Amino acid sequence: IKSFHVHRPIRYRTNTERDAGVPHESLMLLVHYRHETPVLANPIKLIHVDEDLVVLDKPCSLPVHPCGRYRHNTVVFILAKEYNLKNLRTIHRLDRLTSGLLLFGRSPKKARQMEHQIRNRLVQKEYVCRVEGEFPDEIIECKEPIEVVSYKIGVCKVSPKGKDCNTIFQKLGYNGKTSIVLCKPKTGRMHQIRVHLQYLGYPVVNDPLYNHDVFGPMKGKGGDLGGKTDEELVRDLIHIHNAENWLGMDGDSELSMFNPRKGDLDDSLVGPLVPKDRVLGDDDADPVSREPSPCDESCDNNSSIPCESSPHPLALSSLTTSRNVDAKVTVATQTGHEAPDFSFNPDKMTVDKHCYECKVRYRDPKPQDLVMYLHAWKYRGPGWEFETELPDWARVDWVDPDISE
């Protein structure tokens, strides 16, 4: 499991000082203190790299880009720091706990082209998952509309007020307890596959959100939430996940192991944090990008020397090409510049007596806490096709070792 505690010096200037014309050189030097949420140390597998595209097999537990408490432990940071793949444009996203195919554009033009294909439903997508119970033998098409209950914590439900949605499901096998199911989403709504499986009564085995009785005695089957209003559902989700699950909600959520405060229960949690046509995180994604990925921020030492890194062998042939850097760089495009350090050094551990997170002792997650049995297997578009190897849990006869007989 990878985790970080980072102290990074930054220059700080108040609005008053800025308006008064106080020069940066006279500003005090502060320390930016960050706790990094742990993830599994599974490697990112590069599938294809050329001048236009980077295609990889994302391990579970990694968010695609910095969000909430995740920064270094994200796909774009790791690609930049450990594989020397920088300045990438996000084409689509996967949920933090979802593994599988992930595509990045290496130029704005290519990212726009691929986004256009996804937006216009020219890309055929296939996922595999392991669900509870014996899934029906016949092919099932679920067309239930999906509504976002809360953007801030990232939770959805089937609702007549939701957006049109379509997923095709087909059972691939059954091991006596759980089923392997092939999923073909025809649309790309937030948490689409997970919500439709919950509605059908066959939730993903280890889905920490949608396979929970917080959705009522039926766990949301058939849209039955036990009579809860949206506000009650959100409040119960916050309470239960803070009590049971150190991870909080999801990587795209502001709720995490570091936010168990009373302020998290206010009414502002229900309703959009961002415009309603913007989706924070999908099973396979609302196109959101053309932002460059790391590493284009100014180095802390203000040096013009290029950042050191160890490129991945598959990427060597295409990494020496210099590229123009966009003038605008957002927080989500930043990364550090130190070489990867895979060792644990207790001397680097520091505690700030004024830091709330330093005072709370959180339990370490177990590896199974960071896995969900949902995998993006194949993507096929006009003139291109990519697929990954299937994870071990996708074998029909596989039995979960963590589930007792």
Side-chain angles (χ1 to χ4, degrees):
I1 293 177
K2 296 182 179 180
S3 64
F4 294 86
H5 293 262
V6 179
H7 290 250
R8 186 166 64 90
I10 58 172
R11 293 288 181 181
Y12 174 76
R13 179 170 61 171
T14 66
N15 291 332
T16 301
E17 290 172 327
R18 181 199 62 196
D19 295 340
V22 177
H24 283 281
E25 291 75 12
S26 64
L27 302 179
M28 62 184 299
L29 186 64
L30 300 180
V31 172
H32 180 68
Y33 188 77
R34 179 185 298 276
H35 287 254
E36 186 83 2
T37 303
V39 298
L40 292 176
N42 296 335
I44 291 175
K45 299 176 183 177
L46 293 179
I47 295 173
H48 174 84
V49 178
D50 62 24
E51 293 183 355
D52 294 319
L53 281 176
V54 172
V55 184
L56 57 93
D57 185 349
K58 182 186 89 69
C60 55
S61 82
L62 278 181
V64 175
H65 51 68
C67 51
R69 293 287 174 170
Y70 295 88
R71 179 178 170 86
H72 294 271
N73 289 340
T74 59
V75 172
V76 293
F77 264 58
I78 293 172
L79 287 177
K81 296 174 67 177
E82 299 182 14
Y83 295 76
N84 201 24
L85 288 167
K86 306 171 184 178
N87 212 20
L88 304 178
R89 270 70 179 179
T90 308
I91 294 171
H92 69 115
R93 292 182 290 182
L94 295 175
D95 290 341
R96 175 176 55 84
L97 294 180
T98 302
S99 58
L101 270 176
L102 190 60
L103 285 70
F104 291 93
R106 303 193 73 179
S107 67
K109 180 179 179 180
K110 187 62 178 181
R112 282 193 296 268
Q113 179 190 34
M114 299 295 285
E115 285 177 15
H116 175 80
Q117 293 179 14
I118 294 176
R119 191 182 300 273
N120 289 278
R121 302 180 183 175
L122 301 176
V123 177
Q124 300 175 37
K125 298 159 285 187
E126 296 185 18
Y127 288 66
V128 290
C129 63
R130 183 169 287 277
V131 303
E132 290 189 344
E134 184 174 7
F135 200 82
D137 292 327
E138 66 271 17
I139 294 176
I140 293 180
E141 184 173 11
C142 187
K143 294 184 176 180
E144 297 296 330
I146 290 179
E147 176 189 14
V148 179
V149 177
S150 171
Y151 285 87
K152 189 164 187 178
I153 69 171
V155 63
C156 304
K157 69 174 184 178
V158 165
S159 168
K161 297 185 294 183
K163 294 183 178 180
D164 293 340
C165 214
N166 188 348
T167 316
I168 295 174
F169 299 101
Q170 181 179 4
K171 184 176 75 174
L172 299 180
Y174 176 61
N175 68 2
K177 288 189 175 181
T178 59
S179 302
I180 287 294
V181 177
L182 176 66
C183 316
K184 297 181 179 180
K186 302 303 181 183
T187 51
R189 306 302 181 196
M190 181 177 178
H191 297 173
Q192 173 177 326
I193 293 174
R194 299 161 64 184
V195 173
H196 272 174
L197 286 169
Q198 179 198 51
Y199 180 85
L200 294 173
Y202 301 94
V204 175
V205 169
N206 51 1
D207 189 329
L209 180 57
Y210 295 103
N211 189 2
H212 201 292
D213 56 15
V214 69
F215 284 88
M218 300 295 291
K219 292 186 178 180
K221 179 179 180 180
D224 185 351
L225 304 182
K228 291 183 179 180
T229 65
D230 290 352
E231 291 80 4
E232 290 170 338
L233 177 62
V234 170
R235 290 177 187 275
D236 289 348
L237 282 167
I238 294 168
H239 172 75
I240 288 175
H241 278 266
N242 279 331
E244 292 183 358
N245 186 355
W246 74 276
L247 287 172
M249 292 300 180
D250 203 353
D252 287 338
S253 170
E254 291 187 3
L255 297 179
S256 71
M257 58 183 281
F258 301 106
N259 290 326
R261 304 182 180 104
K262 292 182 180 179
D264 289 335
L265 300 177
D266 61 31
D267 293 335
S268 67
L269 286 173
V270 181
L273 181 68
V274 294
K276 286 193 174 183
D277 58 351
R278 166 99 184 266
V279 176
L280 292 182
D282 290 337
D283 286 331
D284 62 4
D286 179 50
V288 290
S289 78
R290 291 188 299 277
E291 290 183 352
S293 78
C295 162
D296 288 328
E297 69 171 326
S298 300
C299 297
D300 290 335
N301 61 6
N302 296 321
S303 171
S304 60
I305 301 175
C307 307
E308 297 293 334
S309 57
S310 301
H312 190 278
L314 182 57
L316 281 173
S317 61
S318 56
L319 294 179
T320 55
T321 304
S322 60
R323 296 181 175 274
N324 293 329
V325 177
D326 291 348
K328 182 178 179 181
V329 179
T330 66
V331 173
T333 68
Q334 299 173 355
T335 188
H337 301 279
E338 67 275 12
D341 181 4
F342 300 104
S343 62
F344 173 73
N345 184 354
D347 294 335
K348 292 184 178 180
M349 294 296 293
T350 58
V351 176
D352 184 344
K353 65 180 181 179
H354 302 295
C355 174
Y356 172 82
E357 287 82 5
C358 282
K359 297 176 183 177
V360 181
R361 298 185 65 85
Y362 298 97
R363 69 174 177 87
D364 288 333
K366 298 177 182 178
Q368 58 265 31
D369 294 333
L370 304 177
V371 178
M372 184 170 64
Y373 299 150
L374 177 62
H375 181 83
W377 183 23
K378 298 179 181 180
Y379 276 30
R380 181 169 60 254
W384 59 270
E385 181 177 359
F386 299 106
E387 71 175 84
T388 72
E389 295 181 2
L390 287 174
D392 290 341
W393 56 257
R395 298 196 314 269
V396 172
D397 60 349
W398 183 85
V399 177
D400 191 340
D402 298 315
I403 297 179
S404 58
E405 296 295 334

